[in-house]
Amino acid sequence: MTSRSLIAAAALTLLTAGAPALAEDKSFTDGIIAYEQQNFVEALNIWRPLAEAGDAKAAFNIGALYFEGKGVERAPNLALEFWRKAAEAENVDAQHNLALTLIAGDADGRNYQEALHWLVRAAENGSPRSMYTLGKMYLYGLGAPRNYEAAYEWIGKAGEAGVPAALYNIAKMTRDGIGTEPDAEVAFELYRRAAEGRHARAQAALAIRYAEGDGTPPTEERALYWAYRAYKNGVEKASETIDDMSEILGQEAAKAIMAEAEIAEAK
């Protein structure tokens, strides 16, 4: 498992004002407008004095500009500097991006210990994606000794917060008894929730659960339905379940079920 594959996808996007700006926020909003107009230098000039005055959102956005090289020469080290300022002010997005950059080693090299520190703070501040990445850190022993119970706790919290990948991973851990007692029925329910969240590998795993009667009564129709959705989402191996279930159900019944799955994927 590489640090790259560990990292949950994180968009290094800007923080925008979620509510109508107050008078004192006008300059920050002007920076957003300049950014959206691709006037990155103007955005930087607007946000810099705000960041120097302690505005965590402005500091986060400047970090994004430096990391992406927009309006400035790309400088991951400066991005980290501004994200650290924002992170110290409990800006959750900065805490998360700072941790991911430290894991990937995009600036000063990898630093799993500091990354873990920021993931803990972001997770405790309620960031589901940080909860998930923190759990994976504990699962693989990065930045701290391997701790399956802590991994299960944090990945589970991310799953409950609605992260499909976390639900998929906690389902596998529950199935295999990693960090918890093995429970096929609970694992099945977790796979189902992740599959409904359009996680392709969870859809394929759910199809197998239905086909084999693992944690649920065997149901060929549901096995085909979820295998077809997984296949449409790029899991080529799901074609094996599609072929097996189609042979059992017959081609006409199979076509109707796959049409139902096609409609569901189009929604």
Side-chain angles (χ1 to χ4, degrees), residues 14-199:
L14 297 182
L15 291 180
T16 58
L22 301 176
E24 59 267 30
D25 292 331
K26 185 176 186 298
S27 292
F28 179 84
T29 304
D30 286 345
I32 294 294
I33 293 170
Y35 181 91
E36 290 175 344
Q37 294 173 344
Q38 299 191 24
N39 192 337
F40 304 125
V41 173
E42 182 179 350
L44 177 64
N45 291 336
I46 291 171
W47 287 328
R48 188 180 295 279
L50 298 178
E52 292 172 350
D55 188 315
K57 291 191 299 182
F60 174 83
N61 286 359
I62 291 175
L65 290 175
Y66 276 113
F67 192 86
E68 296 173 346
K70 291 183 175 180
V72 291
E73 183 177 348
R74 188 173 186 271
N77 288 342
L78 286 176
L80 286 188
E81 180 182 325
F82 280 98
W83 281 340
R84 279 196 179 94
K85 289 179 180 179
E88 290 289 0
E90 302 302 336
N91 182 286
V92 174
D93 295 283
Q95 291 169 342
H96 185 76
N97 279 6
L98 177 56
L100 292 191
T101 305
L102 291 166
I103 291 169
D106 286 334
D108 296 326
R110 293 192 178 107
N111 188 330
Y112 294 136
Q113 289 77 19
E114 186 183 358
L116 189 76
H117 165 78
W118 291 114
L119 286 171
V120 168
R121 285 178 63 168
E124 291 177 346
N125 282 332
S127 169
R129 57 184 182 161
S130 296
M131 295 173 191
Y132 177 52
T133 307
L134 176 61
K136 299 292 288 262
M137 294 282 282
Y138 283 126
L139 182 63
Y140 296 109
L142 298 176
R146 183 169 291 180
N147 186 330
Y148 291 132
E149 289 75 19
Y152 191 89
E153 176 187 358
W154 284 109
I155 295 173
K157 286 182 177 181
E160 290 304 315
V163 179
L167 284 170
Y168 171 68
N169 278 275
I170 208 70
K172 291 196 300 180
M173 294 175 73
T174 302
R175 177 197 66 194
D176 297 336
I178 299 174
T180 188
E181 291 297 317
D183 191 320
E185 292 183 1
V186 173
F188 167 81
E189 179 61 20
L190 292 164
Y191 278 127
R192 184 191 63 77
R193 290 171 59 192
E196 290 179 349
R198 298 180 181 270
H199 190 281

Side-chain angles (χ1 to χ4, degrees), residues 185 188 206 208-220 222-223:
E185 292 183 1
F188 167 81
L206 183 61
I208 292 173
R209 308 276 89 68
Y210 275 120
E212 298 179 351
D214 187 357
T216 187
T219 310
E220 289 83 2
R222 291 291 87 187

